[in-house]
Amino acid sequence: MGVFFWLAGIPYAITVKTGDVSNAGTSASVYCVMYGGRGGDRSSGKIWLTNGKFQRGRTDLFNVEVLELLSPLSRLDVGHDNKGAGAGWFLEEASTCDRQLEMYTRWSNWIYVYGGPKAEATFC
C-alpha cells in the first residue's frame, strides 16, 4: 500500500462579477491564472472556476488553494474556453484576495473570440 501526503495549499479567494447588460452571462467554462511572487514570474497554473453560474448581474466567489505563495500578485488572467451556445461573457469585475494582499481590478468589457479556441483578459 502506498503512502499519501497531503500538501496544504495557500488559500485565495477569487471573485468575478458578471455585468448587468443583456446576454452578459456565459455557458463556457471559466478559469483564471494568478501570477506573482518575487520577480512576478511564478504562476498558479490554470485554475478552473467550477460551480460558478456566471449569470447576468451575479457575483461568483471561489475559494482555491495554490501550492506556493504568489504575493505580491502582479497579474491575473481570467478567461474561458469559448465553448457553448452562449460563450461570450461580459466580465465586469475580478478580484483576488490572499492573506497579505488584496488585488482588485475592474474590467467592463466583453470576453469572447469569434472562431477561436479561448478568450482571455489580463489584469496588471
Side-chain angles (χ1 to χ4, degrees):
M1 183 167 211
V3 176
F4 296 95
F5 295 95
W6 177 261
L7 296 175
I10 308 298
Y12 287 83
I14 300 168
T15 305
V16 293
K17 181 179 180 186
T18 300
D20 191 9
V21 297
S22 182
N23 298 313
T26 187
S27 59
S29 296
V30 175
Y31 65 88
C32 76
V33 181
M34 297 182 294
Y35 296 87
R38 293 179 187 254
D41 58 351
R42 295 186 179 148
S43 155
S44 65
K46 194 175 281 188
I47 301 168
W48 289 97
L49 303 177
T50 57
N51 300 321
K53 300 295 181 191
F54 309 109
Q55 295 175 349
R56 178 180 176 173
R58 182 182 171 117
T59 299
D60 292 290
L61 173 65
F62 304 91
N63 293 302
V64 301
E65 291 185 356
V66 298
L67 292 179
E68 62 182 311
L69 186 64
L70 297 173
S71 293
L73 292 173
S74 59
R75 186 172 120 201
L76 173 67
D77 292 348
V78 179
H80 63 69
D81 62 4
N82 211 33
K83 294 182 180 176
W89 181 32
F90 190 86
L91 174 59
E92 184 175 316
E93 296 177 7
S95 65
T96 60
C97 183
D98 66 22
R99 290 180 281 178
Q100 298 178 7
L101 172 75
E102 180 155 339
M103 176 181 171
Y104 174 83
T105 305
R106 182 175 173 82
W107 177 264
S108 294
N109 208 340
W110 290 96
I111 296 181
Y112 65 109
V113 173
Y114 287 113
K118 69 175 184 173
E120 190 170 273
T122 298
F123 307 117
C124 297

